Amino acid sequence: MTAAGAGGGRALIRRNSLREQIADALRDEMMAGRLPAGRNFTVKEIADIYGVSATPAREALVDLAAQGLLVSEPHRGFTVPEFTWDDFLEIFEARTLLTDNAMRHLAGRAGHRYDWSRLPSLRRRADAAARAARAGQLDVLVGCDLRFWQEAAAVLGNERIADHLGWLRIQSWMFAAPHLRAAGGDLAGVCWDRHGELVDRIEARDRHGAHRVVNDYNLFTVEFLARRLGQSLEGVAVLRLLREPVGPPPAATVAQPPAIAPRSASTAVGLGRVPMPRFVPPGRFARPFRPGSGEPATGR
């Protein structure tokens, strides 16, 4: 039983508070495309579906609305928002800049303590996500993929990046999954499945290799969806970042002055400064979103 179809039973929810369980279950339904854009429901409907009182159901819906994952409509309840292609490109750009920054720091920040104890868990999540991708199991893949990237961000030790990436990936799947379902056909072997290769690179402290794999993942995602939806990628500036070679910077070449130079001669070397992109969280959110780390909702 899922929230998308009331009346056939009761969804199973197993962890944390009722409020968190319901929010996580609804989030997974939206990520998998089973609660499509425009789907409207009331507090009473959700309370009945999950067999709880109105209070935790209302709290869960309010939490999701505060995270931008639902739209609260007076006297109408809550509605799943619709993300357009332009919305997705904004989400994709923010996600790309955050993952790019995280990979550039791998083994590159003196004194930074990465949480290498998480590697076995990251490996298990990578295996689960890759298996789901190769089998074309979209319902399983969305949850496994989200949790894999959450764990990867946790290994790299930046809690804020992990929070924002989780939130952005949820919205990415909310956009992509309905289109994948609508296209029909077998998804086996279609979705990205190189999670294990990325873990290998992280475990080897191979900053450039990990960075390349992540760039390939992001490039694969946007090109795959553009082909599926017949959209143009012309003018998407962040693609240049993904396509640029990743590797150690070339050694600087410094011109040596002549042994005896004329007094009036001088050489000016200009070093251009490239402004770093800055991600500013949307102002409408009361607090950072910290996605849960439990198993995907059941009943799939």
Side-chain angles (χ1 to χ4, degrees), residues 43-57:
V43 171
K44 183 179 185 305
E45 180 181 359
I46 296 302
D48 290 345
I49 288 173
Y50 291 107
V52 299
S53 67
T55 297

Side-chain angles (χ1 to χ4, degrees), residues 200-288:
D200 291 340
R201 302 280 65 78
I202 291 175
E203 188 170 17
R205 279 63 160 177
D206 178 2
R207 176 165 62 95
H208 302 296
H211 192 192
R212 181 70 267 165
V213 174
V214 170
N215 279 5
D216 288 346
Y217 166 75
N218 286 325
L219 192 60
F220 173 92
T221 298
V222 73
E223 291 182 339
F224 174 74
L225 286 173
R227 287 194 304 270
R228 287 259 170 168
L229 303 179
Q231 295 286 349
S232 171
L233 293 176
E234 185 177 357
V236 181
V238 77
L239 296 185
R240 181 180 177 182
L241 178 69
L242 300 179
R243 290 170 176 155
E244 70 180 9
V246 174
T253 301
V254 181
Q256 298 297 322
I260 302 176
R263 183 177 181 85
S264 60
S266 63
T267 303
V269 180
L271 300 178
R273 293 193 62 192
V274 179
M276 293 298 293
R278 184 165 62 93
F279 176 73
V280 181
R284 66 179 179 274
F285 299 107
R287 59 181 182 276

Side-chain angles (χ1 to χ4, degrees), residues 33-117:
R34 290 190 299 268
L35 277 177
R39 173 70 158 86
N40 176 267
F41 37 75
T42 64
V43 171
K44 183 179 185 305
E45 180 181 359
I46 296 302
D48 290 345
I49 288 173
Y50 291 107
V52 299
S53 67
T55 297
R58 180 181 297 104
E59 290 173 341
L61 293 171
V62 168
D63 285 348
L64 291 173
Q67 296 156 16
L69 305 180
L70 286 177
V71 177
S72 176
E73 300 182 290
H75 311 298
R76 291 199 65 236
F78 296 82
T79 302
V80 179
E82 178 180 4
F83 295 110
T84 66
W85 176 250
D86 287 341
D87 291 328
F88 171 73
L89 288 181
E90 288 186 358
I91 294 165
F92 173 76
E93 180 178 30
R95 197 183 83 181
T96 297
L97 293 175
L98 283 173
T99 52
D100 180 81
N101 181 70
M103 288 299 115
R104 287 179 188 272
H105 284 320
L106 179 61
R109 281 191 293 179
H112 186 79
R113 295 182 180 178
Y114 297 101
D115 190 355
W116 300 115
S117 68

